[in-house]
Amino acid sequence: MKKETIFAIFDLAVLALGFVQAATSSPSGQRYKEGEPVPLYANKVGPFHNPSETYRYFDLPYCTPDRVKEKKETLGEVLNGDRLVSAPFKLEFLVSKEDEVACRKTLSKVEVARFRTAIIQDYYFQMYYDDLPIWGFIGMIDKDGRDPNEYKYLLFKRVIFEIFYNKDRVIEITVRTDPKSIADLTEDKEVDFQFMYSAKWKETIIPYEKRMDKYTWSSFSPYHLEIHLFSNVNSCGTVLLLTGILATILWRALKKDFVKYAHDEESAEDEEKTGWKYIHGDVFRFPKYKSLFAAAVGSGTQLFTLTVFIFILASIGVFYPYNRGMLFTALVVIYALTSGIAGYTATSLYCQLEGTNWVRNLVLTGCLFCGPLFLTFCFLNSVGVVYTATAALPFGTILVIVLIWTLVSSPLLVLGGIAGKNSKAEFQAPCRTTEYPREIPPLPWYRGTIPQMAMAGFLPFIVIYIELYYIFASVWGHRIYTIYNILFIVFIILLIVTAFITVALTYLQLAAEDHKWWWRSFLCGGSTGLFIYGYCLYYYYARSDMDGFMQTSFFFGYMACICYGVFLVLGTVGFCAALLFIRRIYGSIKCE
């Protein structure tokens, strides 16, 4: 039953990969004839430095068409905050235009004030033309040596589209604003507004299959990519060197211990003996709060599996630049389909720890990560609703997510839990646990849980420190992240360093005859997540220009959930490494 269940769960995950890949295979590859309409959608507007604070395009007082056509969006697009509507421009294939009038309008004083506020906050707009993203700023501030009280606030009235084509396909599009065609919105008075646009078509030899390469190149130039690689190699090499030195020291210490304990067995002296061997009767004593512990390991295993599958999708090119919202689609679908892994792992471990109420353990497993995430989402979505931002999910999308959780995730969690309970696996301990626990000797302060967590999280954090800036600049900025292979290598090194540091600290803990290693190994392994959250504070205040209540709450709220997930994943890795190490060393000695 055990193997069949695992294979079934992984088959579901593989089906998820196929589903997501099919849903995100590539743009449609539409071919056009001369004069045929090409879809142009206006997406959103918002402050350039606040990526989460975005609004619908027509929330600004542009001329609104009589009928605004909304594009049907996928789940991932909605989660990404996309709200695509038909743009006020008509860009037919190979049809050039010059100063075409999109609309005319007289802006009221209130509308002038709204545009002026948007210009002060450095608003930009985003559109999609044949699935190609384009951006532009709505206006500018004319300082020109003036005092702040004399600044002029100018709204661009004309945009110029430059479109490149190859035979019957659109390859590239750029947009620029005309600084000579402006409306002065400095004063609170009505302004006659005429919005114009031009379109220029140029032929290119770039093939359609490489039209997205432009966005990859804009992320990392060859020079910066070389620096980036060198920085990562330098950082990871230094950490691996330190890890190797510590591994050598640990190996020599273990060899010395084995020789010592072999000599102790041959001698018949009744002297007091100390060391990790002599707590063999307590080292496999089950931890307190075993239900919570098993749930944490189960949730961490599920999130680890989710991470691996995301890397697989990234490596085969599913998350190409501006594949709108597909990362969110993959996260939702794969998380739901891997819920059985969490249920099986948590219940199986809980039963091995001689737990009795496996149903409660299963409920706790299902809520351990989703519970805090749901509460955070409720608060942040309410903030988004108050701000009328596109980050606020509509009721229909929330209902879809609830249905996925109810009809897919929960049943798989229960099935995994039933399979884990019926596996009837016993905890494999090479030593028999004594009836009464041995007293732990007094230990210095630096052997406490918090100091040990600080030491355990530092080296793994150094491994990912370089990469964190680029990840943050992609998630909370406008940089495009495309070097997933490097990230995957860094992730593997992170796992190796986390496992070894946890094993080393566990050995030191056992050598001091402290046998309560279960929770300590999990907390030490996951402590890197706390370092990452500390980096969030540094990034927000020192490396970004984000501000405002909404952006601050979204940044720290969702990053808290992400760091909590990292904590569960690395905590599980640390515990599993420590468990394998302890079984190995205690299985190599003679325990009476």
Side-chain angles (χ1 to χ4, degrees), residues 11-315:
D11 285 342
L12 286 172
V14 171
L15 288 176
L17 292 180
F19 167 77
V20 175
Q21 186 176 10
T24 63
S25 55
S26 65
S28 59
Q30 180 68 42
R31 299 176 183 270
Y32 301 98
K33 298 179 181 179
E34 184 174 352
E36 186 177 352
V38 181
L40 174 63
Y41 293 101
N43 188 14
K44 50 193 176 184
V45 295
F48 182 76
H49 299 294
N50 287 354
S52 298
E53 189 180 345
T54 55
Y55 306 93
R56 295 176 181 269
Y57 181 80
F58 288 112
D59 283 354
L60 287 179
Y62 288 112
C63 316
T64 307
D66 296 332
R67 183 185 176 190
V68 178
K69 182 181 178 181
E70 296 188 0
K71 180 181 181 296
K72 187 176 180 181
E73 295 165 328
T74 64
L75 173 63
E77 289 175 332
V78 177
L79 293 175
N80 195 42
D82 292 337
R83 303 292 186 271
L84 276 70
V85 296
S86 54
F89 315 110
K90 305 299 179 183
L91 302 179
E92 297 85 0
F93 191 70
L94 294 182
V95 177
S96 298
K97 298 184 177 182
E98 187 66 32
D99 293 341
E100 188 85 7
V101 177
C103 66
R104 293 183 176 88
K105 183 178 182 180
T106 299
L107 298 177
S108 66
K109 293 181 180 180
V110 175
E111 291 173 332
V112 167
R114 289 178 62 187
F115 266 124
R116 186 168 61 242
T117 301
I119 294 171
I120 293 172
Q121 296 180 0
D122 212 16
Y123 266 49
Y124 72 100
F125 65 82
Q126 184 189 40
M127 297 183 180
Y128 283 94
Y129 185 68
D130 192 40
D131 280 333
L132 292 172
I134 49 179
W135 304 266
F137 288 95
I138 69 168
M140 69 176 189
I141 302 176
D142 184 9
K143 301 179 180 179
D144 195 23
R146 298 183 175 91
D147 294 331
N149 295 331
E150 298 177 350
Y151 287 169
K152 290 188 176 182
Y153 303 98
L154 309 175
L155 178 68
F156 296 130
K157 298 194 300 181
R158 178 172 176 252
V159 293
I160 303 169
F161 297 96
E162 193 170 38
I163 312 166
F164 297 84
Y165 70 97
N166 187 342
K167 296 179 181 180
D168 54 358
R169 285 178 163 178
V170 177
I171 302 300
E172 183 181 344
I173 182 172
T174 60
V175 62
R176 57 187 175 88
T177 50
D178 187 356
K180 296 180 180 179
S181 180
I182 54 177
D184 191 344
L185 306 183
T186 306
E187 300 179 5
D188 287 324
K189 63 180 182 180
E190 293 185 352
V191 175
D192 291 331
F193 182 73
Q194 182 173 274
F195 202 23
M196 300 178 295
Y197 66 101
S198 300
K200 301 177 181 180
W201 289 83
K202 296 182 179 181
E203 192 171 6
T204 181
I205 60 172
I206 298 175
Y208 178 82
E209 293 75 17
K210 294 186 177 181
R211 71 173 190 165
M212 301 304 291
D213 290 352
K214 165 189 172 182
Y215 305 101
T216 304
W217 296 336
S218 66
S219 176
F220 287 98
S221 65
Y223 174 72
H224 287 96
L225 180 59
E226 184 178 346
I227 295 176
H228 181 74
L229 288 171
F230 178 77
S231 300
N232 271 300
V233 170
N234 185 42
S235 174
C236 294
T238 302
V239 172
L240 288 177
L241 178 62
L242 291 174
T243 304
I245 294 173
L246 291 175
T248 303
I249 296 173
L250 179 60
W251 173 247
R252 290 183 176 180
L254 280 172
K255 287 182 65 177
K256 187 177 180 180
D257 288 343
F258 285 132
V259 172
K260 172 190 172 185
Y261 295 143
H263 179 267
D264 288 346
E265 290 173 4
E266 295 174 359
S267 64
E269 298 177 2
D270 289 334
E271 59 182 29
E272 185 179 358
K273 300 173 182 178
T274 60
W276 55 266
K277 175 187 175 181
Y278 303 107
I279 59 170
H280 62 81
D282 298 281
V283 73
F284 293 105
R285 191 178 303 280
F286 298 146
K288 294 182 179 180
Y289 313 110
K290 60 181 69 175
S291 180
L292 177 61
F293 185 82
V297 173
S299 298
T301 305
Q302 179 189 6
L303 293 174
F304 175 79
T305 307
L306 169 66
T307 304
V308 171
F309 276 114
I310 290 297
F311 275 119
I312 293 175
L313 288 176
S315 65

Side-chain angles (χ1 to χ4, degrees), residues 294 297-299 301-302 340-350 352 416-417 420 572:
V297 173
S299 298
T301 305
Q302 179 189 6
I341 294 176
Y344 178 85
T345 305
T347 306
S348 176
L349 178 60
Y350 180 67
Q352 290 182 45
T572 301

Side-chain angles (χ1 to χ4, degrees), residues 227-503:
I227 295 176
H228 181 74
L229 288 171
F230 178 77
S231 300
N232 271 300
V233 170
N234 185 42
S235 174
C236 294
T238 302
V239 172
L240 288 177
L241 178 62
L242 291 174
T243 304
I245 294 173
L246 291 175
T248 303
I249 296 173
L250 179 60
W251 173 247
R252 290 183 176 180
L254 280 172
K255 287 182 65 177
K256 187 177 180 180
D257 288 343
F258 285 132
V259 172
K260 172 190 172 185
Y261 295 143
H263 179 267
D264 288 346
E265 290 173 4
E266 295 174 359
S267 64
E269 298 177 2
D270 289 334
E271 59 182 29
E272 185 179 358
K273 300 173 182 178
T274 60
W276 55 266
K277 175 187 175 181
Y278 303 107
I279 59 170
H280 62 81
D282 298 281
V283 73
F284 293 105
R285 191 178 303 280
F286 298 146
K288 294 182 179 180
Y289 313 110
K290 60 181 69 175
S291 180
L292 177 61
F293 185 82
V297 173
S299 298
T301 305
Q302 179 189 6
L303 293 174
F304 175 79
T305 307
L306 169 66
T307 304
V308 171
F309 276 114
I310 290 297
F311 275 119
I312 293 175
L313 288 176
S315 65
I316 61 178
V318 171
F319 305 129
Y320 57 84
Y322 294 101
N323 191 358
R324 295 192 303 273
M326 293 311 152
L327 176 60
F328 292 101
T329 302
L331 288 172
V332 172
V333 172
I334 298 177
Y335 181 84
L337 292 177
T338 54
S339 296
I341 294 176
Y344 178 85
T345 305
T347 306
S348 176
L349 178 60
Y350 180 67
C351 292
Q352 290 182 45
L353 299 180
E354 300 179 357
T356 55
N357 196 341
W358 68 274
V359 176
R360 183 181 64 182
N361 172 254
L362 202 59
V363 173
L364 181 60
T365 303
C367 297
L368 192 64
F369 180 74
C370 288
L373 180 62
F374 175 74
L375 294 176
T376 303
F377 164 76
C378 288
F379 171 73
L380 296 180
N381 202 63
S382 300
V383 173
V385 170
V386 172
Y387 276 75
T388 65
T390 61
L393 299 186
F395 176 76
T397 303
I398 297 175
L399 183 61
V400 168
I401 295 176
V402 171
L403 287 176
I404 291 175
W405 187 83
T406 304
L407 301 179
V408 180
S409 182
S410 296
L412 288 177
L413 180 71
V414 173
L415 289 176
I418 294 173
K421 177 181 178 296
N422 294 334
S423 65
K424 297 180 180 179
E426 295 183 358
F427 186 80
Q428 301 296 324
C431 303
R432 182 175 58 86
T433 301
T434 58
E435 183 177 357
Y436 299 103
R438 181 178 177 135
E439 183 179 356
I440 299 175
L443 301 175
W445 66 269
Y446 55 84
R447 289 187 180 271
T449 301
I450 294 179
Q452 295 284 296
M453 289 175 63
M455 288 187 283
F458 180 71
L459 273 183
F461 176 74
I462 294 299
V463 172
I464 60 174
Y465 174 77
I466 300 295
E467 211 65 27
L468 278 180
Y469 170 76
Y470 297 97
I471 297 174
F472 276 54
S474 174
V475 176
W476 300 105
H478 304 282
R479 184 185 292 268
I480 310 165
Y481 195 93
T482 56
I483 47 176
Y484 297 107
N485 292 333
I486 295 178
L487 183 61
F488 185 51
I489 294 173
V490 172
F491 177 69
I492 293 175
I493 296 176
L494 172 65
L495 297 181
I496 294 173
V497 174
T498 299
F500 175 76
I501 292 299
T502 306
V503 165

Side-chain angles (χ1 to χ4, degrees), residues 521-543:
S521 64
F522 191 94
L523 295 174
C524 287
S527 60
T528 306
L530 302 179
F531 277 81
I532 297 176
Y533 199 70
Y535 179 83
C536 293
L537 296 169
Y538 165 74
Y539 179 84
Y540 185 88
Y541 292 107
R543 303 298 297 270

